[in-house]
Amino acid sequence: MSGRFRVREADAEDAEALAELYAGSGLPGAPGDAPEAARMLQTGAAFLLAEDDAGIAGAVRWREEEGVAWFDLLRSLEPPAGAELVRAVGRRAQDRGLRLARCRAPDTPGMAAYFARLGYLPVGRERAEDGRALLVLERRLPLLTVREQRRGDAAAIARLTGADPWPFAQGARPGWFVAADGERVVGVIGVRDAGAGVAELAEPVVEAGYEGRGLEVWMAERAREWAQTNGFHTCVLPATPRMRALRRALEDRLWQLEGGRFVHTRPRAAEGDGAER
C-alpha cells in the first residue's frame, strides 16, 4: 500500500465497477458499460485501480510500447487517488527498466498544471477519434538501482535503519549498499563478517511504497556478489516472514532455506578450472 489507497491491477471481476467508475466521465475510449469493460480486460487492456475500504476511487489504463510507458483514461473520484495511480504507473515502468512515461489527457484548462505537479510536461497535442483535443505529457523517470553506499547517503541510512549516521558520513563503508530511486535512497542492506568465511547479510530495509517490487531480492543479490567476490564462501540471510514471502525468487538465485535463514554457498570450481599452468 502506498499513501491512502491500495493500488492493484484490475481483473475480470472488476468490469462492472470499472464501468461505473467511468460512467459520465466523457473520456475518449473509456468503457461505456460492464460488457465493454470486460472485453477490454479480456483482450489485454491493463488497468490499475486505487481503492480503500469504501471501494474503488480511481483507475488508469497503461501499457508498454517501444520502451515507453503510456497511460490514459485517468479517472479519480477523490483527488489523491489520481496522483497515486500516476505514481504507480511510474513505479511499474521503473521496475521494467523504462526511462520514459507518457500520457494522453483531455486538453482542458488546468490539466497541464495538474500533471506538472507530478513531474510531467507537455510535449505535443493530438486528436481523439471523436475529434476532441488531447494533451500529450511526458516525464523522464529516475533510474531505480542498487549501488554502493556513498557519504551523502548517511542521513537516509539513518532514517531507514535508525543507525548512527556518523560512520556512514565518513565515506563508503565496505559491504553496505542502498537502493536508490534517482537520487532518493529507498532501501539499505549491509554485510558483516560472521567468521570462518561466512558473510551475514542484514534483512534489507525498504521504504514504504517500495515493497513487493523485487528490491529486497535485488539488494540481497548485490550484497552476496560483493561478499563472494571478497572471499566469503557462504552468505546467510535472515528468513524473516517478509523474506520467506520471497522464497521462490531467492531459490531461483540458488538461496536455500535452512531453518531460520537462507543460505547461499559459492559453487566450488570444477577440476581443471582456472588458469593454465
Side-chain angles (χ1 to χ4, degrees), residues 7-8 12 23 35 48 78 150 164 183 226 252 274:
V7 176
R8 63 174 177 85
L48 296 179
E78 300 179 53
R150 301 171 184 164
D164 181 355
E183 294 301 315
W226 176 88
D252 286 345

Side-chain angles (χ1 to χ4, degrees), residues 221-261:
E221 279 292 277
R222 182 68 178 86
R224 176 195 63 77
E225 290 171 359
W226 176 88
Q228 293 184 344
T229 299
N230 283 274
F232 294 93
H233 57 72
T234 300
C235 294
V236 297
L237 177 68
T240 61
R242 185 160 60 91
M243 299 310 295
R244 285 176 183 267
L246 300 169
R247 179 175 177 177
R248 178 172 294 181
L250 287 166
E251 288 181 342
D252 286 345
R253 292 159 178 80
L254 304 182
W255 289 87
Q256 297 298 318
L257 182 60
E258 297 182 5
R261 62 186 189 175

Side-chain angles (χ1 to χ4, degrees), residues 144-210:
L144 190 63
T145 188
V146 176
R147 58 167 174 76
E148 293 182 348
Q149 175 250 325
R150 301 171 184 164
R151 180 179 300 171
D153 301 327
I157 293 173
R159 170 176 56 84
L160 290 167
T161 66
D164 181 355
W166 187 87
F168 299 99
Q170 306 314 301
R173 298 185 67 189
W176 283 84
F177 301 89
V178 300
D181 188 354
E183 294 301 315
R184 179 176 175 81
V185 172
V186 298
V188 182
I189 190 171
V191 182
R192 76 172 188 89
D193 185 352
V198 177
E200 184 175 341
L201 280 60
E203 180 183 14
V205 178
V206 179
E207 186 173 290
Y210 287 84

